[in-house]
Amino acid sequence: MSLSDFPKNFDNAVDSMLSWIADNGEGFFDFVNTVLKGIYEGIYWLLTLPPYYLVAIVIGVIGWRMVSVRFGILAAAALIFCAVIGLWAETMSTLALVLSATTLALVVAVPLGVVAGLIPALDKAVEPLLDLVQTLPPYIYLLPAIALLGYGSATALLATFIVAVPPALRLTALGIRMTPKEFIELGDASGVTGWQMFVKIRLPHALPSIMAGINQSLMMAFGMVVIAGIVGSGGLGSSIYSAVRTLDIGKSIDAALAIVILTIILDRLAQSAASSSRGAKQ
């Protein structure tokens, strides 16, 4: 085999491996598809069940309590604006996708980050993998997901989950590692158990870093859901993708504004939660 044939043979080997996995794991991937779609559709159903103005008011009240009265009013008004321009269903679809992917990412990333923070060897082992995930272009994750799960919300959810894991994992591990040594020594001298050391000393000090990781995961998820519109995920990403293909500038601007509104609202809420955790620690 000549060197010039290597790229073609390598690509064929990758395609064959992916086909073999899809064929032999068809039942498993059908199950994963069903579970992911069920999670997404359940959250979407909850968000679209009440009238749009009620959802906007609830989020506005949350913004008022967590940030400020001004922010709460602006958040509610901005969400109502999404409904006025005819993109309420798409906005809630995007919100459901982001919340689903981020929640699943945190379920994996936070416990694994805690373990990585406590075990330096594991932290060093996962670091190159996290570098790889964050370095590759996000749309790369759509390709194997399409091959295994097909087009639709499950594929978008899986790809968004992948890009949302690294920030939370990194910052959780960092927070656990950065617990001041004097506090650990004081805990040891006081005779606390390992669980008490974690709950009363390590976790409170790590909480601001963990909250920052949650915020970063949300932002990564928002970046991915736009790209995920390519695979028919629905929501604002699909609206933008459709508008780009048809050169519908007005529609693309409307969808972009809705994404900006959602991003700002969740970012400010996450930042407020992180600030509250820092204040509680102090």
Side-chain angles (χ1 to χ4, degrees):
M1 181 183 67
S2 64
L3 188 61
S4 60
D5 294 330
F6 177 78
K8 181 179 179 180
N9 293 330
F10 179 78
D11 291 344
N12 290 336
V14 172
D15 290 338
S16 298
M17 180 182 67
L18 201 56
S19 297
W20 182 88
I21 293 173
D23 292 339
N24 289 273
E26 183 177 359
F28 171 74
F29 292 114
D30 285 344
F31 172 75
V32 171
N33 194 325
T34 301
V35 171
L36 293 181
K37 286 181 65 176
I39 293 172
Y40 160 75
E41 290 174 357
I43 295 178
Y44 177 69
W45 177 80
L46 286 174
L47 290 172
T48 55
L49 181 62
Y52 72 88
Y53 54 83
L54 182 58
V55 175
I57 291 173
V58 169
I59 294 179
V61 170
I62 294 174
W64 163 45
R65 299 298 297 173
M66 293 186 63
V67 184
S68 66
V69 174
R70 178 173 177 270
F71 174 78
I73 294 172
L74 289 176
L79 288 173
I80 292 175
F81 172 76
C82 293
V84 170
I85 61 177
L87 289 174
W88 181 254
E90 291 82 357
T91 301
M92 292 300 99
S93 175
T94 297
L95 180 58
L97 183 59
V98 169
L99 293 178
S100 302
T102 304
T103 300
L104 291 175
L106 295 178
V107 168
V108 173
V110 173
L112 188 56
V114 169
V115 176
L118 296 173
I119 304 176
L122 177 61
D123 188 46
K124 291 181 180 179
V126 299
E127 194 72 22
L129 180 60
L130 298 179
D131 290 338
L132 178 64
V133 171
Q134 292 187 294
T135 301
L136 291 174
Y139 61 81
I140 290 295
Y141 305 117
L142 293 173
L143 302 179
I146 291 171
L148 299 175
L149 300 177
Y151 284 86
S153 57
T155 296
L157 180 53
L158 178 61
T160 307
F161 161 82
I162 292 173
V163 301
V165 165
L169 202 161
R170 282 184 188 276
L171 289 172
T172 298
L174 176 64
I176 295 295
R177 287 200 312 271
M178 296 302 290
T179 305
K181 291 184 178 180
E182 56 268 26
F183 285 90
I184 296 176
E185 293 172 354
L186 179 62
D188 289 334
S190 301
V192 299
T193 64
W195 175 250
Q196 290 173 330
M197 175 76 76
F198 172 74
V199 172
K200 296 183 178 181
I201 298 177
R202 287 188 179 274
L203 187 59
H205 282 89
L207 193 56
S209 184
I210 294 173
M211 295 303 300
I214 293 173
N215 184 40
Q216 290 301 309
S217 291
L218 280 170
M219 297 304 101
M220 293 298 295
F222 268 113
M224 188 64 197
V225 294
V226 178
I227 300 173
I230 298 173
V231 300
S233 63
L236 297 170
S238 291
S239 297
I240 289 178
Y241 180 61
S242 174
V244 168
R245 289 193 304 165
T246 58
L247 296 179
D248 190 341
I249 298 176
K251 183 179 178 181
S252 66
I253 291 176
D254 288 344
L257 286 174
I259 288 178
V260 169
I261 288 169
L262 274 183
T263 304
I264 291 175
I265 290 174
L266 289 188
D267 180 51
R268 290 295 303 276
L269 292 178
Q271 286 186 16
S272 177
S275 298
S276 297
S277 67
R278 283 193 293 267
K281 188 191 79 170
Q282 293 172 354

